[in-house]
Amino acid sequence: MSADDDLVRRCLKGRADAMRELVERFQPEVFALSVRLLGHRHDAEDVVQEVFLRIFRSLKRWDATRPLRPWILGITVNRCRTWIGRRKRVPEPVEYLQDVPSRPTDVPSDELTTALRAAVGELRGEYREVFVLFHEHGRSYEEIAEVVARPVGTVKTWLHRARLEVLTELQRRGLAPTDPEPATRP
Amino acid sequence: MTEPAPITCAAFEELVQRVLDREVPLAALETPHAITCAACRGLASAARVLATTPTSSFEAPVELADRVTLTVTGDYRTRQRWRHAARAGALALAASVLFAGFLSLRPAEQLEVVKAPPRQLPPSPRVADRFADAGSAIASITRKASDQTVAPTRQLLPTTATPFAPMGDVPGVEPVTESLASVPSSAKAGFEPLATTTRRAMNLFMRDTGLSTTPKPKS
């Protein structure tokens, strides 16, 4: 029996200590992914609560033959998609936009990082998901395919297109010098 | 020594993807094509930025884990309570349905009973009544026999109601096989008048019907 399987069994028995252990184990990654996909910390905190509620309500349906992390990240991605869709339908008040900008302001003020985050924020939903999971969470193609429930080939295609869009945006912002490097003399 | 074939922009783009996949090192982008092609040169430069820029780290609030744990454990307890209530409700509903089904069956059975009148068996006869009936039957037979014997003697002319057999088939009155002399004197005393009367009646009948050979006495 794997560690994940043992933890899930204890959670299904209703043990509060097991529930806390599962939250503490996966909450950092769930929160970071939510911030990167939503671009807002407060939204990410609300989504994290929703994610874990959904995790514990559907824990019985988890396939014990598969690892737990991709399943949890998949729920996170789905909740973020729902949140983004809801945010688009409901007009946000002006005060909200002024006080809570759509781009995180508490990230490092490095220009490159900010520009990179802006470029990633401009990507379409599924491109942004695979880009963040690969470049910012270090997940493999196979793991990303399981999270987003798509074939590996589709994930590769989406990621390559996402990279090209980000690289183009970096060049547009002038953050990618194009001057040829001087040839080095032997 | 032959020089390597120049790569195309498509091939260079593929190379950039392999670098970002971490399959080949970043130095592989330093190709003659990147020097000559401005577009590919810009692509390579942006790829270096992407590959070398550190990712942002986002630390969750300290109390977030406590908040989330409190929420999920409370939700679990609420769902357990609802599950128990639903189970109790389902059991109560099932019991009500069964009880209603039982009640709905009972009136039908009663109607069936009312429709067909109960078969009433004749009461079993009492033994005393059976003996009384037997005694009455014997008495009636005896009375009938004596009436049948005595009644013709009351009439001078026999009625024609009594069916007679053809003359040829009329059996004669057979002589007494046993005389009354053999009967004990006490029984003889009782049978004597009956026997005399019966004999007289039969002789009169046979004489009048022409069956007897005894001549008719002159009046």
Side-chain angles (χ1 to χ4, degrees), chain A residues 24 26 57-58 76 113 127 142 156 179 182:
Chain A
E24 288 178 348
F26 294 104
R57 283 178 185 173
S58 52
T76 306
T113 306
Y127 288 10
E142 290 73 22
K156 278 187 178 176
D179 294 333

Short mmCIF file of all heavy atoms in Angstrom, two decimals, chain A residues 24 26 57-58 76 113 127 142 156 179 182:
data_model
loop_
_atom_site.label_atom_id
_atom_site.label_comp_id
_atom_site.label_asym_id
_atom_site.label_seq_id
_atom_site.Cartn_x
_atom_site.Cartn_y
_atom_site.Cartn_z
N GLU A 24 -1.94 19.88 4.41
CA GLU A 24 -0.61 20.47 4.55
C GLU A 24 0.34 19.96 3.49
O GLU A 24 1.26 20.68 3.07
CB GLU A 24 -0.07 20.17 5.94
CG GLU A 24 -0.76 20.98 7.03
CD GLU A 24 -0.24 20.63 8.42
OE1 GLU A 24 0.49 19.62 8.56
OE2 GLU A 24 -0.56 21.37 9.37
N PHE A 26 -0.38 19.10 0.25
CA PHE A 26 -0.64 19.57 -1.10
C PHE A 26 -1.04 21.04 -1.22
O PHE A 26 -1.07 21.58 -2.31
CB PHE A 26 -1.74 18.71 -1.76
CG PHE A 26 -1.33 17.27 -1.98
CD1 PHE A 26 -1.82 16.27 -1.14
CD2 PHE A 26 -0.48 16.93 -2.99
CE1 PHE A 26 -1.43 14.94 -1.33
CE2 PHE A 26 -0.09 15.61 -3.19
CZ PHE A 26 -0.56 14.61 -2.35
N ARG A 57 -14.76 15.52 -0.93
CA ARG A 57 -16.08 15.00 -1.31
C ARG A 57 -15.98 13.90 -2.35
O ARG A 57 -16.82 13.04 -2.44
CB ARG A 57 -16.95 16.15 -1.86
CG ARG A 57 -17.50 17.05 -0.79
CD ARG A 57 -18.30 18.18 -1.36
NE ARG A 57 -18.73 19.10 -0.32
CZ ARG A 57 -19.33 20.25 -0.55
NH1 ARG A 57 -19.56 20.64 -1.79
NH2 ARG A 57 -19.70 21.03 0.45
N SER A 58 -14.93 13.96 -3.20
CA SER A 58 -14.81 12.97 -4.26
C SER A 58 -13.63 12.02 -4.03
O SER A 58 -13.19 11.35 -4.96
CB SER A 58 -14.67 13.65 -5.62
OG SER A 58 -13.63 14.61 -5.59
N THR A 76 -7.55 21.23 -9.23
CA THR A 76 -7.16 22.64 -9.08
C THR A 76 -7.34 23.37 -10.41
O THR A 76 -7.89 24.49 -10.46
CB THR A 76 -5.70 22.73 -8.63
OG1 THR A 76 -5.51 21.96 -7.45
CG2 THR A 76 -5.31 24.18 -8.35
N THR A 113 10.70 39.07 -14.84
CA THR A 113 9.68 38.21 -14.23
C THR A 113 8.29 38.78 -14.46
O THR A 113 7.35 38.05 -14.82
CB THR A 113 9.93 38.07 -12.71
OG1 THR A 113 11.28 37.63 -12.50
CG2 THR A 113 8.97 37.07 -12.12
N TYR A 127 -3.39 26.78 -22.96
CA TYR A 127 -1.97 27.03 -23.18
C TYR A 127 -1.32 27.49 -21.88
O TYR A 127 -0.20 27.06 -21.55
CB TYR A 127 -1.79 28.12 -24.25
CG TYR A 127 -2.11 27.67 -25.66
CD1 TYR A 127 -2.73 26.46 -25.93
CD2 TYR A 127 -1.81 28.50 -26.75
CE1 TYR A 127 -3.04 26.08 -27.23
CE2 TYR A 127 -2.09 28.12 -28.05
CZ TYR A 127 -2.72 26.91 -28.27
OH TYR A 127 -3.02 26.53 -29.57
N GLU A 142 3.91 13.64 -19.33
CA GLU A 142 2.94 12.61 -18.96
C GLU A 142 2.07 13.06 -17.80
O GLU A 142 0.85 12.85 -17.78
CB GLU A 142 3.68 11.32 -18.59
CG GLU A 142 4.34 10.61 -19.76
CD GLU A 142 5.59 11.32 -20.25
OE1 GLU A 142 6.19 12.09 -19.47
OE2 GLU A 142 5.98 11.10 -21.43
N LYS A 156 2.02 18.51 -25.87
CA LYS A 156 3.25 19.01 -26.52
C LYS A 156 2.92 20.13 -27.51
O LYS A 156 3.60 21.16 -27.55
CB LYS A 156 3.96 17.87 -27.26
CG LYS A 156 4.82 17.00 -26.39
CD LYS A 156 5.63 16.01 -27.23
CE LYS A 156 6.52 15.19 -26.30
NZ LYS A 156 7.26 14.13 -27.04
N ASP A 179 20.59 41.54 -31.35
CA ASP A 179 21.85 41.83 -32.00
C ASP A 179 22.71 40.60 -31.99
O ASP A 179 22.82 39.92 -30.97
CB ASP A 179 22.59 42.96 -31.24
CG ASP A 179 21.82 44.27 -31.35
OD1 ASP A 179 21.09 44.41 -32.37
OD2 ASP A 179 21.91 45.09 -30.43
N PRO A 182 29.05 39.16 -31.06
CA PRO A 182 30.32 39.27 -31.81
C PRO A 182 31.05 37.94 -31.82
O PRO A 182 31.02 37.19 -30.83
CB PRO A 182 31.10 40.32 -31.04
CG PRO A 182 30.49 40.35 -29.68
CD PRO A 182 29.07 39.92 -29.84
#
